[in-house]
């Protein structure tokens, strides 16, 4: 997809899958487990970063990312709230089953940073 081609992106568990190894390492450390944890947290975080950057890339300015996750804010907002992604966390809600809904909106100034329509169109033809 071309940059800014979607009004809405829905993530129903993708970030959870990508960050599963990171979450396991966090639990391993939190509970002081002995030995070596067999999960690769660094790769997990890099994969999640790439996925979030791609979601941000394809969202138009003002577009919305709707994310459903099993992870509470303490385990997800640090990945979601990065200036480079160009969005703001609007809401986070927990349902009766312990799932969390995150709503993120792409900032409108992303359009201004591109230098106008002509520059934005030119930059998309260069590939990613």
């Amino acid at each position: 997809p071309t940059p800014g081609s979607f009004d809405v992106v829905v993530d129903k568990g993708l970030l959870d899958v990508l960050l599963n190894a990171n979450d396991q390492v966090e639990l391993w450390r939190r509970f002081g487990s002995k030995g070596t944890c067999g999960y690769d947290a660094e790769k997990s975080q890099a994969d999640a970063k790439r996925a979030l950057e791609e979601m941000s890339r394809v969202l138009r300015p003002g577009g919305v990312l709707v994310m459903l996750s099993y992870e509470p804010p303490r385990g997800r907002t640090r990945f979601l709230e990065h200036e480079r992604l160009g969005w703001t966390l609007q809401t986070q809600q927990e349902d009766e089953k312990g799932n969390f809904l995150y709503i993120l909106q792409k900032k409108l100034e992303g359009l201004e940073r591109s230098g106008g329509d002509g520059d934005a169109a030119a930059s998309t033809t260069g590939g990613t």
Side-chain angles (χ1 to χ4, degrees):
T2 59
S5 57
F6 290 94
D7 293 325
V8 177
V9 172
V10 178
D11 170 6
K12 185 178 178 253
L14 174 64
L15 195 66
D16 290 339
V17 169
L18 295 175
L19 285 172
N20 182 54
N22 179 74
D23 296 343
Q24 295 301 320
V25 170
E26 291 291 325
L27 286 172
W28 192 270
R29 290 179 183 148
R30 188 177 304 148
F31 293 108
S33 301
K34 303 294 181 203
T36 303
C37 182
Y39 292 94
D40 186 349
E42 288 181 25
K43 180 180 183 322
S44 179
Q45 291 175 23
D47 290 345
K49 177 185 169 191
R50 279 193 300 278
L52 289 168
E53 288 171 347
E54 182 64 11
M55 290 177 207
S56 177
R57 185 185 76 81
V58 300
L59 270 177
R60 69 163 178 78
V64 175
L65 169 61
V66 178
M67 178 179 293
L68 182 64
S69 174
Y70 63 76
E71 188 68 24
R74 74 172 182 277
R76 288 295 177 260
T77 54
R78 68 186 174 121
F79 295 100
L80 299 174
E81 294 181 326
H82 281 282
E83 186 62 32
R84 74 175 183 280
L85 295 172
W87 55 43
T88 56
L89 182 59
Q90 299 294 319
T91 61
Q92 52 192 12
Q93 301 173 349
E94 182 177 8
D95 69 11
E96 68 281 351
K97 295 181 182 177
N99 296 302
F100 293 84
L101 181 68
Y102 299 91
I103 308 291
L104 300 108
Q105 185 170 26
K106 185 86 176 262
K107 294 178 183 175
L108 291 173
E109 64 257 14
L111 185 62
E112 295 163 7
R113 280 189 227 147
S114 69
D117 291 340
D119 291 341
S123 67
T124 62
T125 60
T128 49

